[in-house]
Amino acid sequence: MRASYDVFYKSIFETYKDLGAVALFTLLWALSLLPIATAGAGTAALYSCMREKQLGKNVSAGDFICAVRRHFKKGLILQLLYAGFLIPALGTSLLLLSDGTVVGIAMSVLLLYTAVLWQLMFLYVWPLLAADPAQTNSMILLRAFKLVSDHFWYSICIAIYVFLLVLLSSIITVALLIAAGATAILLNNAAMKLLQGYDPEAHQFESDVSWKGSLRPWKI
């Protein structure tokens, strides 16, 4: 889809333009994963800081730490909801599939489809939290579900671009230094592209980019 390609292209440009910041916040995000309890808050902080950077604001490591503290409770709950549904759903689906019966296979496919929808929803959960931290988690999940249900194939395309981005980062080892930050930029843009259609005054996305003046991307 052209819309998802425009989002991907602009995200590549913004990743290059702010390469220093992307690397810094990717490193801080990786460190936040070490205490498992802060993984959700660290992810929320990553998306929040990258969004602020995309808006042209100055963001530092101190801002990341403050964002981790600010999003700790919501991030932990979302982290538990994500893993608490996805892991049992995939495990149960594999067990039903190994059963070999028609009913077991049908239920397995249904669970897999639900797991895919859940995964697609979480493409937007973190950008939605970064865009409006005052939202409740239930509202974030409802809005994420609406974005996926209204734009299913767009969401599939964005998921493919995320996969390609992570795959490329795995092949080019040095790119792992920016993988998480680049993914945050991509998903922030993907969400803003959709939210613009619902509330153009609050959310704006411009697909036009200019590479002029972007020769020193290491600056934070």
Side-chain angles (χ1 to χ4, degrees), residues 99-126:
D99 182 55
T101 63
V102 174
V103 174
I105 293 174
M107 291 181 66
S108 174
V109 171
L110 180 60
L111 268 177
L112 282 175
Y113 177 73
T114 306
V116 168
L117 286 179
W118 190 246
Q119 180 65 46
L120 291 176
M121 283 174 58
F122 268 81
L123 293 180
Y124 303 119
V125 162
W126 304 113

Side-chain angles (χ1 to χ4, degrees), residues 187-205:
L187 294 182
N188 277 340
N189 282 333
M192 291 308 105
K193 173 72 173 177
L194 296 184
L195 291 173
Q196 182 177 243
Y198 298 94
D199 189 355
E201 293 185 3
H203 307 285
Q204 297 180 357
F205 174 82

Side-chain angles (χ1 to χ4, degrees), residues 80-211:
L80 293 174
L81 286 172
Y82 174 74
F85 175 80
L86 192 63
I87 295 174
L90 292 176
T92 304
S93 178
L94 290 175
L95 287 175
L96 290 171
L97 192 61
S98 64
D99 182 55
T101 63
V102 174
V103 174
I105 293 174
M107 291 181 66
S108 174
V109 171
L110 180 60
L111 268 177
L112 282 175
Y113 177 73
T114 306
V116 168
L117 286 179
W118 190 246
Q119 180 65 46
L120 291 176
M121 283 174 58
F122 268 81
L123 293 180
Y124 303 119
V125 162
W126 304 113
L128 286 171
L129 177 57
D132 186 2
Q135 298 177 96
T136 62
N137 281 343
S138 57
M139 180 58 68
I140 290 172
L141 290 170
L142 284 173
R143 293 184 72 187
F145 176 75
K146 180 171 178 57
L147 291 180
V148 173
S149 59
D150 288 353
H151 308 276
F152 182 77
W153 290 111
Y154 170 88
S155 301
I156 290 290
C157 290
I158 292 297
I160 292 173
Y161 281 128
V162 170
F163 173 78
L164 292 176
L165 184 61
V166 174
L167 180 63
L168 182 63
S169 298
S170 300
I171 296 173
I172 307 173
T173 310
V174 70
L176 288 172
L177 294 173
I178 62 168
T183 300
I185 289 176
L186 171 58
L187 294 182
N188 277 340
N189 282 333
M192 291 308 105
K193 173 72 173 177
L194 296 184
L195 291 173
Q196 182 177 243
Y198 298 94
D199 189 355
E201 293 185 3
H203 307 285
Q204 297 180 357
F205 174 82
E206 296 290 341
S207 58
D208 296 333
V209 301
S210 174
W211 292 88

Side-chain angles (χ1 to χ4, degrees), residues 11 14-15 18 21-27 29 46-47 50-51 54 165 175-188:
S11 301
E14 290 184 338
T15 297
D18 295 318
V22 173
L24 171 64
F25 292 122
T26 295
L27 176 60
W29 171 78
L46 171 68
Y47 280 75
M50 293 315 308
R51 175 171 169 76
Q54 287 175 273
L165 184 61
L176 288 172
L177 294 173
I178 62 168
T183 300
I185 289 176
L186 171 58
L187 294 182
N188 277 340

Side-chain angles (χ1 to χ4, degrees), residues 66-85:
C66 289
V68 169
R69 293 172 179 168
R70 186 170 63 251
H71 294 304
F72 179 76
K73 184 177 180 180
K74 284 186 177 180
L76 179 60
I77 293 173
L78 289 171
Q79 169 189 342
L80 293 174
L81 286 172
Y82 174 74
F85 175 80

